[in-house]
Amino acid sequence: MASRKSGLGRGLESLIPVQRPVSGFTTIALDLIEPNPQQPRAHFDDEALESLAASIRAVGVLQPVIVRAGADDGGYVLVAGERRWRAAGLAGLEEIPAVVRAPDEAGGLVEALIENVQREDLTPLEEAAAYAQLLEEFGLTHEEVGGRVGKSRVAITNTLRLLQLPPAIQGLVERRELGAGHARALLGLDDEAHAVHLARKAATEGWSVRQVEDAVRARQAAAEPSRPARPDQARPAEIIELEERLAERLGVPVQIDLGKRRGKIVVRFTSLDDLQRLYHVLFD
């Protein structure tokens, strides 16, 4: 069982008073919560749940579930967060942080979460989890979240990408042994085991973000098929700058190959969720 029961919930407790008779932050036993019978999702991917459970074992439950009071038996019905509720059970937890909401309180919960991000000393993962909750459970866009917390859409997107990290790297970030910039650089690696190896090495030896980025580029170069060297065709500085600007905008590594008559842009992503995020960045 993860010793750290919650992350974001810690801040919510100070923002949503527990003395409210029908709403507030609390910790609830898993067996007192039942799924929402109107939940449209009937199937939960077992592999995805196991991955989330592994993350919970490593860093705890970062986002509280949202529930409402159930029948007169003292139980609760899930409003949002069934994946976390199921994964917490797989992780061996007996209870989970939750927000008990009144029927008309949705808007107030959004504002409380936003205040929590602005006021509390959250870790990068807790901040990412707060953004994810605002996106997934309250329907805000990346741009809307950024506007409310005073950050750019790119900053929100890059922070959210931390939730794609392997649990072992998430644990390093959550314990502040590794910085968010170091962790984001590791997202460029397809080899999860090597990413974890580099993360642990960076944390132990105190690497800078630049050192991690160099190590990631070296690994990527070694994994790519070798191409004939073209020393007579140095890459233009404006192309390199454009790559960097696109990478910052999209939150993923970008490579521009410019030929004599045509060129191509290679955008790397690490998962289907990352691909979906890129779609929204490009076309929303």
Side-chain angles (χ1 to χ4, degrees):
M1 181 185 300
S3 58
R4 189 175 184 279
K5 294 180 181 178
S6 68
L8 180 60
R10 181 188 63 222
L12 282 175
E13 187 171 17
S14 66
L15 296 170
I16 308 176
V18 297
Q19 63 266 29
R20 293 183 186 178
V22 293
S23 65
F25 172 82
T26 188
T27 301
I28 300 175
L30 292 179
D31 58 9
L32 290 180
I33 301 174
E34 62 182 36
N36 188 337
Q38 297 179 334
Q39 159 69 269
R41 178 184 291 179
H43 174 72
F44 292 85
D45 183 80
D46 290 340
E47 184 176 348
L49 282 177
E50 286 290 353
S51 177
L52 182 55
S55 176
I56 288 173
R57 293 187 193 101
V59 299
V61 179
L62 295 171
Q63 298 167 258
V65 297
I66 299 175
V67 300
R68 58 176 171 80
D72 296 332
D73 59 1
Y76 299 87
V77 176
L78 276 166
V79 173
E82 185 167 343
R83 285 183 68 251
R84 290 192 298 285
W85 174 69
R86 290 175 179 269
L90 289 174
L93 272 63
E94 297 179 356
E95 52 189 20
I96 192 169
V99 174
V100 184
R101 56 162 278 197
D104 60 347
E105 200 182 19
L109 289 174
V110 171
E111 295 308 317
L113 283 167
I114 290 170
E115 282 188 52
N116 189 61
V117 174
Q118 293 172 328
R119 291 169 49 186
E120 295 299 312
D121 181 23
L122 302 181
T123 67
L125 277 176
E126 289 171 341
E127 185 179 348
Y131 296 157
Q133 190 161 17
L134 291 168
L135 293 168
E136 297 167 6
E137 297 173 4
F138 296 99
L140 300 185
T141 65
H142 290 213
E143 190 167 4
E144 288 171 335
V145 172
R148 296 209 183 191
V149 300
K151 296 189 177 183
S152 68
R153 182 177 72 169
V154 173
I156 300 300
T157 299
N158 283 338
T159 301
L160 282 163
R161 296 181 68 229
L162 296 175
L163 298 177
Q164 301 168 16
L165 292 165
I169 301 179
Q170 287 187 7
L172 291 171
V173 174
E174 186 67 7
R175 294 190 298 273
R176 301 186 188 273
E177 297 175 24
L178 198 69
H182 301 78
R184 279 194 294 270
L186 292 166
L187 285 164
L189 287 175
D190 296 329
D191 186 339
E192 181 176 311
H194 191 72
V196 171
H197 166 73
L198 286 182
R200 289 172 174 160
K201 190 175 180 65
T204 301
E205 299 182 7
W207 285 7
S208 67
V209 174
R210 180 63 179 271
Q211 285 176 292
V212 176
E213 291 172 343
D214 289 345
V216 169
R217 279 194 289 268
R219 180 69 174 189
Q220 290 171 336
E224 291 180 353
S226 59
R227 293 182 293 179
R230 299 164 67 182
D232 56 322
Q233 295 186 10
R235 302 184 72 229
E238 57 268 27
I239 295 298
I240 297 174
E241 181 182 358
L242 185 56
E243 283 180 343
E244 293 174 350
R245 293 176 63 182
L246 283 171
E248 180 181 358
R249 176 73 173 176
L250 299 177
V252 294
V254 175
Q255 177 182 328
I256 299 176
D257 289 334
L258 185 64
K260 291 184 178 180
R261 301 181 60 183
R262 66 184 65 185
K264 66 179 179 179
I265 299 177
V266 179
V267 179
R268 301 179 185 277
F269 58 91
T270 58
S271 66
L272 288 177
D273 287 341
D274 208 18
L275 178 60
Q276 185 177 35
R277 179 191 61 77
L278 283 169
Y279 175 86
H280 290 301
V281 171
L282 291 168
F283 299 111
D284 278 357

